Amino acid sequence: MVAVTGPRQCGKSTLVRHLLGNKNLVYLDLERQSDLRKLDEAEWYLHSQKDKIICLDEIQRKPELFQLIRSLTDEWGRKGCFLVIGSASRDLLRQSSESLAGRITYKRLTPFLWSEIKT
């Protein structure tokens, strides 16, 4: 599992969408009510998408998913099933690291640095 973290509005979602394009991907934005409703029966829904990369954006809005993700990751036995995106709050990092120890890698995205901007 991969977690892309960073401050709000630094381009996390845009980067992920650009890199993954139209690959076999399910993208859920947890700030959208219709996407949240899909997770009312989270175990069933995620199981029905198991052959895809499941991207959960704004994961900090539903931290209880970390335990289910851990269980499904172990059950499915394949790498890269889940990609989560969220603001890098201490709570998010603590919750995910406790639930997903040994199963998650973090990639931190920062806003552009002045040295990266061509003038």
Side-chain angles (χ1 to χ4, degrees):
M1 177 175 177
V2 175
V4 178
T5 64
R8 295 192 63 76
Q9 300 296 312
C10 73
K12 299 178 299 289
S13 302
T14 301
L15 176 66
V16 166
R17 287 184 194 170
H18 177 74
L19 290 175
L20 294 177
N22 290 327
K23 294 188 178 171
N24 200 14
L25 172 73
V26 171
Y27 180 91
L28 299 176
D29 181 346
L30 301 186
E31 288 189 333
R32 181 180 291 163
Q33 288 301 314
S34 59
D35 285 350
L36 277 172
R37 280 192 297 275
K38 291 175 185 175
L39 295 173
D40 285 346
E41 296 289 333
E43 185 172 356
W44 175 86
Y45 181 80
L46 296 175
H47 237 294
S48 72
Q49 305 300 320
K50 91 182 242 187
D51 59 329
K52 300 174 180 148
I53 298 170
I54 301 169
C55 180
L56 301 168
D57 198 349
E58 301 294 347
I59 188 69
Q60 72 275 4
R61 299 219 178 261
K62 205 154 173 70
E64 64 272 17
L65 287 175
F66 286 121
Q67 290 179 329
L68 176 58
I69 290 169
R70 181 204 52 79
S71 177
L72 294 176
T73 298
D74 289 349
E75 180 183 328
W76 297 347
R78 62 183 176 95
K79 296 180 180 180
C81 303
F82 291 95
L83 174 66
V84 297
I85 304 170
S87 299
S89 70
R90 284 188 190 150
D91 290 340
L92 170 68
L93 297 176
R94 182 185 51 75
Q95 289 165 344
S96 63
S97 64
E98 287 174 5
S99 298
L100 296 163
R103 299 170 185 90
I104 190 167
T105 186
Y106 297 92
K107 302 297 177 189
R108 178 152 173 77
L109 188 64
T110 60
F112 282 112
L113 302 174
W114 188 253
S115 60
E116 296 172 324
I117 300 172
K118 292 182 181 183
T119 54

